[in-house]
Amino acid sequence: AAHAATINSFENAEDSSLVEKKKLEYSQMLERESGASWKEATVAVQCLMNDYAGIEVRSEILFSTGLEYLGRLKERAHATLTCSNSHELMRCQEALDLMDVGELIMHAANERKETRGKHVRIDYPYTNLIYDNKFITVQQVDGKPMVEWRSRT
């Protein structure tokens, strides 16, 4: 709220570079003659998350490998996703959003270097009492994930 009070004017959305970038991305998806569908992209990210960030076994090696594969999947999806109508376009964007969320989940899970509840790390088998009453926040800053520990109190 304090930040909002300091804003004197708003940028015209139509003039935003992000809007231009997204318009181009959406147009490319709609104009492609062939490529991957939103269903393929969604299944790929689900399988990748299950294999590299699943709840049965977790480790730093799995997270780093999963992040590498997820990065490749995102690049490929941006280059090949195709759709023929606005419904499929929305689904393509959902698949890309799932990839972004998956990346943030892997970064947060990798930062928690302990076993706690269903978060079982084979490389950190014990609960660390230092992390009691703390939680992790993850956000994208300049396109990069930033992980931060916060106290609950």
Side-chain angles (χ1 to χ4, degrees):
H3 174 69
T6 65
I7 298 174
N8 296 325
S9 65
F10 294 98
E11 176 183 343
N12 288 334
E14 297 84 14
D15 300 332
S16 168
S17 63
L18 178 61
V19 170
E20 288 301 317
K21 179 182 171 191
K22 289 298 181 181
K23 279 174 36 179
L24 178 63
E25 182 180 320
Y26 300 158
S27 295
Q28 289 173 341
M29 285 182 197
L30 287 163
E31 292 168 0
R32 281 189 189 112
E33 295 292 324
S34 64
S37 72
W38 64 269
K39 291 177 185 178
E40 293 170 295
T42 301
V43 168
V45 74
Q46 288 172 344
C47 290
L48 195 145
M49 291 301 294
N50 187 55
D51 291 346
Y52 294 97
I55 61 171
E56 292 166 9
V57 176
R58 290 180 162 196
S59 73
E60 188 164 352
I61 292 171
L62 285 172
F63 294 135
S64 62
T65 304
L67 283 167
E68 182 181 327
Y69 289 151
L70 190 55
R72 289 182 194 168
L73 178 61
K74 282 172 65 173
E75 286 177 17
R76 184 95 171 132
H78 279 286
T80 65
L81 273 176
T82 186
C83 55
S84 60
N85 57 51
S86 60
H87 174 76
E88 289 179 4
L89 176 63
M90 176 192 66
R91 294 296 190 173
C92 286
Q93 288 307 305
E94 287 176 351
L96 293 170
D97 287 346
L98 285 173
M99 292 174 200
D100 289 340
V101 170
E103 182 179 17
L104 297 178
I105 287 170
M106 282 199 218
H107 280 288
N110 192 41
E111 178 67 21
R112 183 171 289 283
K113 302 207 183 302
E114 67 167 350
T115 289
R116 184 175 295 259
K118 293 286 185 181
H119 179 78
V120 178
R121 295 273 307 249
I122 59 173
D123 48 354
Y124 294 95
Y126 302 105
T127 299
N128 190 339
L129 298 178
I130 293 172
Y131 297 132
D132 281 354
N133 295 317
K134 292 190 178 184
F135 64 97
I136 297 172
T137 61
V138 184
Q139 59 183 334
Q140 283 190 343
V141 177
D142 298 327
K144 304 271 187 213
M146 185 179 86
V147 181
E148 183 178 52
W149 283 92
R150 293 194 180 177
S151 184
R152 288 183 194 223
T153 55

